[in-house]
Amino acid sequence: MSEKRKQKVLVVDDEQDIIDILTYNLEKEGYEVETANNGLLAVKKAVSFFPDVILLDIMMPQQDGVETCRQLREIPELQHTFIIFLTARSEEYSEVAAFDVGADDYINKPIKPRALLSRIAALFRRETKKEQDSTRIQVRDLIIDRSSYTVIQSGKTVILPKKEFELLYFLAKSPNTVFGRDELLQNIWGSDVFVLARTVDVHIRKVREKIGDDYITTVKGVGYKFDLN
């Protein structure tokens, strides 16, 4: 790996054999790995380890993965950490819950290590491309700075988790253009991640709660647009 430092991965699962096999494959690929076997320990380790990626099981003792993810996303230093859920559960509501609390990806068990490594690499590639396209957008009292992932409204900083920020930025850089849910899913979450269309609606609602309803307009039956009017 050609990075100045090793990229860090926190593996969180209550099954030791899964931890062992993922740790082996990640370290072999050049990642620095830390582990936790429950959600409470995962939060504690994350704030000291500052991982680039967290692989997070859903069903765990003491605290499940969904609540753990919610807590991790409230930590400013971890706002841009990739969180990938690993789970044996295939119910739609589990997947919706995972993305609602800020997951970047959702992979069903049994885990195929090579496929998982490819998904992680794809997340880093997309992030690098976005960083190369960094720019600053200002509309009325709203400043959206892609280079620093910050939103400032009327002089005050607005905290947006990573996916909410990317959704706002994507819409704002093409004002008055209507994007359907599928197009937003493709551009924000990527083609290699399966996400339900409802996830877009949830993220739009959360962005509106933070910056108001004046910027993102719903075009009934079509999708959303960033409105300059």
Side-chain angles (χ1 to χ4, degrees):
M1 196 173 291
S2 59
E3 302 291 333
K4 292 182 180 179
R5 67 167 180 86
K6 286 187 176 182
Q7 291 165 320
K8 300 178 180 180
V9 181
L10 174 61
V11 180
V12 186
D13 202 295
D14 62 333
E15 296 183 49
Q16 189 60 45
D17 58 338
I18 291 178
I19 287 179
D20 291 343
I21 193 169
L22 292 181
T23 297
Y24 170 79
N25 282 275
L26 288 162
E27 290 181 342
K28 186 178 178 181
E29 196 70 13
Y31 293 100
E32 181 180 348
V33 181
E34 183 60 84
T35 66
N37 59 11
N38 65 72
L40 294 175
L41 182 58
V43 175
K44 291 180 180 178
K45 288 202 172 185
V47 296
S48 59
F49 185 55
F50 294 114
D52 300 287
V53 179
I54 299 174
L55 304 179
L56 184 61
D57 187 25
I58 285 187
M59 297 298 292
M60 293 184 295
Q62 299 188 49
Q63 181 169 284
D64 66 24
V66 172
E67 174 59 22
T68 300
C69 183
R70 187 191 66 76
Q71 292 182 15
L72 291 168
R73 285 304 188 209
E74 292 178 349
I75 300 170
E77 294 83 358
L78 300 176
Q79 286 290 319
H80 308 309
T81 294
F82 294 119
I83 298 180
I84 301 175
F85 273 90
L86 309 177
T87 179
R89 303 186 65 166
S90 59
E91 304 95 333
E92 180 177 304
Y93 70 82
S94 294
E95 184 175 342
V96 170
F99 285 111
D100 282 356
V101 293
D104 293 286
D105 204 347
Y106 185 99
I107 301 176
N108 287 310
K109 294 179 179 179
I111 304 301
K112 299 176 181 178
R114 297 308 305 174
L116 174 61
L117 290 169
S118 295
R119 298 279 277 268
I120 293 174
L123 288 173
F124 282 125
R125 284 196 300 271
R126 287 205 304 272
E127 185 67 14
T128 299
K129 185 179 184 302
K130 289 172 183 175
E131 288 174 355
Q132 292 171 346
D133 295 337
S134 295
T135 189
R136 188 173 186 264
I137 299 171
Q138 182 165 3
V139 180
R140 301 194 294 275
D141 66 337
L142 195 67
I143 299 172
I144 308 166
D145 191 337
R146 182 67 180 76
S147 63
S148 61
Y149 267 88
T150 57
V151 174
I152 299 174
Q153 186 173 34
S154 300
K156 297 181 179 179
T157 299
V158 180
I159 303 299
L160 293 182
K162 185 176 183 178
K163 284 293 183 281
E164 292 175 27
F165 178 92
E166 291 179 352
L167 185 57
L168 174 62
Y169 176 80
F170 180 82
L171 290 169
K173 72 178 182 179
S174 300
N176 296 325
T177 301
V178 182
F179 293 96
R181 290 171 178 80
D182 288 342
E183 192 170 2
L184 292 172
L185 288 172
Q186 169 77 21
N187 282 278
I188 305 304
W189 282 268
S191 58
D192 53 345
V193 179
F194 178 74
V195 187
L196 299 172
R198 176 189 163 190
T199 299
V200 173
D201 301 330
V202 171
H203 280 69
I204 290 288
R205 173 177 56 78
K206 290 180 178 179
V207 171
R208 284 171 168 163
E209 288 173 354
K210 293 167 185 174
I211 67 169
D213 298 329
D214 297 335
Y215 291 98
I216 300 177
T217 300
T218 301
V219 180
K220 191 172 181 181
V222 183
Y224 299 99
K225 69 175 181 176
F226 189 88
D227 200 339
L228 290 182
N229 300 324

